[in-house]
Amino acid sequence: MTEARETTERAVIGCMLIDSRAIDSLAEQDGSASWFTDPQCRKVAQAVLERYEQGKIASDMLAINELGLVPMSWMDECIELVPTVAHTEHYVSTLHGHADRDALVALHGAIGSIVRVCTPETVAEARGAIESSVNAVMGGGPATGGTLTAAGHGWIERMIAPDSVTTLLDWPCRAVTDAMGRIDR
């Protein structure tokens, strides 16, 4: 049985407060503070992620406590929900499922709204709006156009460009970027 969302959110917060590698797990699944519906969890997640992005110790409970977002006892309770950080992947994956479900519920509402106002004359526009909404949720965002071949050639051109116009890229895992630096070619 799936744990309650509040429990899952607090367990993810607990994992992030115990070990910064939990933040890597969240980032690898494209997680963000928007995944959290509980206001306290969202505030703490945002603070932890901001500290992480700034290169600070993200799991520093004292620094987060100084922001006055939640009581220290609340953070302690989150940590107590986590028997071991080895369960981090499970908690993050479950939270990802909750966030995906939220997106599907919102999609259902948007499609319902489009269909309710659709007339025989506006069916083509309604189909386009529904397709766009589905693509945004199911495909990770609206399509940018172009072909895969063109995208590949564009990427190769950026990678072989002179240093003055080279785009630096992060490694898929933040810890590797921090340890080795950004990819320049």
Side-chain angles (χ1 to χ4, degrees):
M1 182 171 166
T2 304
E3 295 151 352
R5 182 168 188 153
E6 180 184 356
T7 303
T8 301
E9 289 184 9
R10 292 187 70 185
V12 171
I13 294 294
C15 290
M16 292 192 313
L17 293 173
I18 293 170
D19 189 352
S20 290
R21 288 179 289 189
I23 303 165
D24 290 333
S25 177
L26 186 69
E28 287 169 3
Q29 294 193 39
D30 294 325
S32 69
S34 66
W35 281 11
F36 297 85
T37 57
D38 177 75
Q40 292 176 310
C41 288
R42 185 175 286 210
K43 288 177 194 174
V44 172
Q46 186 65 40
V48 169
L49 291 170
E50 285 175 5
R51 290 184 60 78
Y52 183 75
E53 289 172 3
Q54 295 168 357
K56 298 177 181 175
I57 298 172
S59 57
D60 185 348
M61 286 177 52
L62 293 175
I64 294 168
N65 187 54
E66 288 176 6
L67 297 173
L69 303 173
V70 295
M72 183 69 90
S73 60
W74 184 89
M75 289 188 281
D76 288 334
E77 290 170 5
C78 290
I79 290 172
E80 289 173 9
L81 287 172
V82 182
T84 174
V85 291
H87 297 165
T88 299
E89 291 293 326
H90 165 72
Y91 294 128
V92 171
S93 178
T94 302
L95 183 58
H96 190 182
H98 284 295
D100 282 351
R101 184 182 182 286
D102 291 346
L104 290 175
V105 168
L107 175 64
H108 179 265
I111 290 173
S113 295
I114 293 168
V115 171
R116 275 191 296 280
V117 299
C118 177
T119 65
E121 293 81 20
T122 62
V123 164
E125 291 86 9
R127 283 182 174 203
I130 290 170
E131 182 179 9
S132 176
S133 297
V134 169
N135 285 338
V137 171
M138 304 304 276
T144 58
T147 65
L148 187 56
T149 302
H153 286 293
W155 183 81
I156 290 171
E157 291 300 319
R158 286 193 310 274
M159 292 299 103
I160 62 173
D163 288 338
S164 62
V165 293
T166 298
T167 302
L168 297 177
L169 303 173
D170 288 332
W171 290 91
C173 179
R174 174 71 184 214
V176 175
T177 301
D178 292 343
M180 299 186 62
R182 299 180 84 192
I183 304 168
D184 62 353
R185 297 198 183 258

